[in-house]
Amino acid sequence: MTKIERAATGRARSGRGATASDKDVAASAGRPRSEEAHQAILDATLALLGEVGFSALTVEGVAGRAGVGKATIYRRWASKLPLVVDAFGGLPALEDADTGSLASDLKVMLRSYLELFNKTPLAAVLPALASERAHDPALAELFDPVLLQRRSPLVQALERAVARGEVSADLDLDLAADLIVGPIAVRLFFTGRKIQAKMVDPMVDMALGGIARPR
Amino acid sequence: MTKIERAATGRARSGRGATASDKDVAASAGRPRSEEAHQAILDATLALLGEVGFSALTVEGVAGRAGVGKATIYRRWASKLPLVVDAFGGLPALEDADTGSLASDLKVMLRSYLELFNKTPLAAVLPALASERAHDPALAELFDPVLLQRRSPLVQALERAVARGEVSADLDLDLAADLIVGPIAVRLFFTGRKIQAKMVDPMVDMALGGIARPR
Amino acid sequence: MTKIERAATGRARSGRGATASDKDVAASAGRPRSEEAHQAILDATLALLGEVGFSALTVEGVAGRAGVGKATIYRRWASKLPLVVDAFGGLPALEDADTGSLASDLKVMLRSYLELFNKTPLAAVLPALASERAHDPALAELFDPVLLQRRSPLVQALERAVARGEVSADLDLDLAADLIVGPIAVRLFFTGRKIQAKMVDPMVDMALGGIARPR
Amino acid sequence: MTKIERAATGRARSGRGATASDKDVAASAGRPRSEEAHQAILDATLALLGEVGFSALTVEGVAGRAGVGKATIYRRWASKLPLVVDAFGGLPALEDADTGSLASDLKVMLRSYLELFNKTPLAAVLPALASERAHDPALAELFDPVLLQRRSPLVQALERAVARGEVSADLDLDLAADLIVGPIAVRLFFTGRKIQAKMVDPMVDMALGGIARPR
DNA sequence: TCGTAAGCGAGACGGTACGTCGAGTCTTGCT
DNA sequence: AGCAAGACTCGACGTACCGTCTCGCTTACGA
């Protein structure tokens, strides 16, 4: 009732006759959720992920660190998993680089991405979420689009290479993307050592040139 | 550690022949540990890993399923992590195949390995352990040798290919191995779909031939 | 306190006549408190007291039942205790009866009071408030005058009996009142059974005549 | 366990020596419950009842004070109510006194009982339990027998008085008992003042002699 | 007649306690 | 000394209310 009136007013104001796209519906009864608390929670989550890792992360700990009641967290996220997915989604992703050649695009992108692994809890979060994904379809639904979006610059670089004729037009781009990041994933998951920036060139070169000696 | 204990116990029980000189003296006062219980615990662990996944696996549950007291588990493993590592170590690994060509070696090996993912909790366990590894150096120490050993057939196949001249002698074999299994790892960790056997050929071909169109 | 406010508001709304001199000045800026909400809250409180009892009574529940925001309750009462005291104060009390003899006065009064126990949440509220009273002096201050007022018809009946010469002039009337209602209190607090109306006569007779056989 | 103790006591009292049929079989699998913890919990409960009262008593507080985990409390009592009933049952009760006359029996008994009100949390616990009793039949079942047993010395004193001819043989002893303790109950529940020892004599005298002036 | 100040329902806020669960340890009596 | 059973302390879980605090709104008064 009130809601309808308000929505109507809003629409009237924006003077866009039938604009179906009104997103701000549903609007508020009661006190609105605190954007401040929201951010404090995500920040605390990332901080603690970096400090104690995923499995030792407790909702209670996040609440304490964020200066927030537990209920305020549970009002927004059903459990620590979607919370971590959301926090993870806020971390920087692959940054596209368009240098004119596939090899150098990839090298620039991967090198700067590797830096993120050393600056953010990314390395701790990724395997943990991957692990939970398997047994929790609801998590998969949250997690997958985030992942997809994060690797899209990689696919774009490959598409540019196709356009340039650097790679064959009937290449399976998805598989190619997996091949490029594969070694990083393997070493991230199964190795303690930090992955060194100088590994990027051999990785990219081998992925592009292949293992087998060209006859 | 656990393996050593098991080996020692096993030896003590079975062969009395050469034993006097053995170093595993100290041996038994009191009742020896039950090999039966040991195996029941590992079996229950694998069964539950498959059913509920790693994060919902509880020591209490394992004890119940194995018909064993909790203390009997803690007497052998310090916590659920080394227990799972041990159980994981009991799963079948890559099986070497020597067919005369690198491509077909790899295809045979990967195809049969993919089958294991569908038959065992491997797919559930690997990412979970990888995730814990990061924040638990003690776990890394247990886990890494197991991993290394499991991929050794892959490296051997590559070494044979070097010997045959199929690949260049100065190839970084470790990196090559990562490149080959990379796409599988990526899809295992970040995808819900089971990896299909028919993906193996394109994967191996792309890894061997490279992404870039040979000029 | 609350009563004073209510009275003041009521007067302010209706009569404008004699008001200038009234002390309840300061009066209104802004919207006056809703008498409707006030009553809805008290009604909801009594209803819920009857349904779920005192300890399961929540302010949130009262607000919900009364169709009122929590703040509207806290604006009027500091907590659920004074609220319940107020609600309790609205329940009917002992009703004086002047029949000419102490015995029959008491029997009439107690009989009709017992009926209230079966029709109102009185039986649930009294022990609860008594229990809180002990550790909450502020509550005592609210509660005691209400109690005193409620039993005054009893004392008046006794005073009439003194005047008539039915009882000795130097009788401790307060103690006598306690003796009369004592058995009801004991049974109310420590017994599940409803107190039956037919118990009233023996109770009063025994209180008046005493336990000991007159020699 | 408490039940067992009570049953045991009962049996011992009824002195049926040879009950071979001991029901407490079932006996031990696993570690037996710690009698030490049991007592520590009851002690902590009584201490806290005295300090903060019933409604501010928390299970968490009891656990902390007793140096015990919460689960250890919940393993024995379903909630704080039965716990408090049990603790209450451990408090001293009316102590029988046989002086040869009803009046002096009662005066001695009540006087020493009043002392308990000042030394134990009795005064805080009784109204609280009475209040909860109403809406919790399970509690009533625990609470009633304890109450009954606690007032039995009073009934016994009355029975002796009947035997002696001090009171009429067809007196309703239960009602008489209620009349005697009635004033104490009323003042306990509805008055802040401690009940003074010197009130005992007038109370007993009025209960025995009656309110009405003997004609 | 209109501004303004308080009241209104709604519901989020930081907290505290709830009752449950599992971790890892300890204590039974038995083997 | 190992075994199954199960109680132990501890600490996190997710829920429910507490009493307080915005929200956007209504409502009456006094300028």
Side-chain angles (χ1 to χ4, degrees), chain A residues 12-79:
Chain A
R13 183 137 46 77
S14 66
R16 203 96 52 74
T19 335
S21 63
D22 257 329
K23 258 291 277 314
D24 56 12
V25 207
S28 45
R31 178 174 178 174
R33 296 199 178 164
S34 156
E35 200 53 48
E36 211 174 324
H38 198 95
Q39 201 50 53
I41 293 166
L42 291 176
D43 290 351
T45 302
L46 287 176
L48 285 172
L49 275 173
E51 288 172 28
V52 305
F54 174 85
S55 72
L57 183 78
T58 66
V59 174
E60 221 145 51
V62 172
R65 172 76 76 105
V68 139
K70 276 199 290 177
T72 299
I73 296 181
Y74 283 109
R75 212 173 281 123
R76 296 152 199 267
W77 296 278
S79 72

Side-chain angles (χ1 to χ4, degrees), chain C residues 50 53 55 126 128 130-133 135 147 165-166 168 175 178-180 186-187 189-192 207-213, chain D residues 53 55 126 128 130-133 135 147 166 168 175 178-180 182 186-187 189-192 207-213:
Chain C
S55 73
L126 261 178
S131 164
E132 300 298 329
R133 226 203 69 104
H135 278 274
L147 281 177
E166 278 188 87
S168 156
L175 182 53
D178 290 345
L179 189 73
I180 290 162
V186 170
R187 283 160 190 236
F189 288 3
F190 299 135
T191 310
L208 294 184
I211 290 168
R213 148 180 299 169
Chain D
S55 71
L126 260 178
S131 164
E132 301 298 330
R133 226 203 69 103
H135 278 274
L147 282 176
E166 280 187 87
S168 156
L175 181 54
D178 290 346
L179 190 73
I180 291 162
V186 170
R187 283 160 189 237
F189 287 6
F190 300 135
T191 309
L208 293 184
I211 291 168
R213 149 178 302 169

Side-chain angles (χ1 to χ4, degrees), chain B residues 3-214:
Chain B
K3 274 178 186 164
I4 290 170
E5 289 174 306
R6 212 183 329 159
T9 315
R11 226 177 301 132
R13 182 136 57 83
S14 59
R16 205 79 61 77
T19 354
S21 63
D22 264 321
K23 198 42 198 325
D24 57 12
V25 250
S28 45
R31 177 176 178 177
R33 294 194 180 168
S34 154
E35 194 58 39
E36 213 174 322
H38 200 98
Q39 200 52 51
I41 293 167
L42 291 175
D43 290 350
T45 303
L46 286 174
L48 285 171
L49 276 173
E51 289 171 28
V52 305
F54 174 84
S55 73
L57 181 78
T58 66
V59 173
E60 223 145 50
V62 171
R65 173 75 76 105
V68 138
K70 279 201 290 177
T72 300
I73 296 181
Y74 282 107
R75 209 172 285 121
R76 295 164 152 85
W77 296 277
S79 74
K80 93 172 177 179
L81 279 166
L83 167 60
V84 169
V85 172
D86 242 22
F88 167 71
L91 291 176
L94 263 185
E95 213 165 316
D96 202 357
D98 186 353
T99 64
S101 105
L102 177 58
S104 93
D105 279 8
L106 293 176
K107 288 173 184 176
V108 170
M109 287 165 66
L110 292 188
R111 227 182 318 258
S112 76
Y113 197 57
L114 277 185
E115 273 176 47
L116 293 179
F117 276 89
N118 302 328
K119 286 199 224 133
T120 68
L122 214 47
V125 179
L126 259 179
L129 291 178
S131 163
E132 300 299 329
R133 226 203 68 103
H135 278 274
D136 185 346
L139 175 63
E141 227 153 303
L142 291 176
F143 191 34
D144 290 358
V146 179
L147 281 176
L148 216 63
Q149 193 203 328
R150 296 189 123 252
R151 66 183 285 175
S152 64
L154 196 55
V155 179
Q156 285 162 28
L158 285 166
E159 282 168 348
R160 284 196 303 269
V162 172
R164 270 190 239 109
E166 279 188 86
V167 308
S168 155
D170 52 4
L171 188 79
D172 180 340
L173 293 192
D174 228 52
L175 180 54
D178 290 345
L179 190 72
I180 291 162
V181 298
I184 292 184
V186 170
R187 282 160 189 237
L188 164 63
F189 287 6
F190 299 136
T191 310
R193 291 160 286 160
K194 304 240 156 185
I195 305 166
Q196 292 174 295
K198 71 175 185 212
M199 287 304 300
V200 167
D201 283 13
M203 275 180 192
V204 171
D205 291 339
M206 195 183 288
L208 294 184
I211 290 167
R213 150 179 300 170

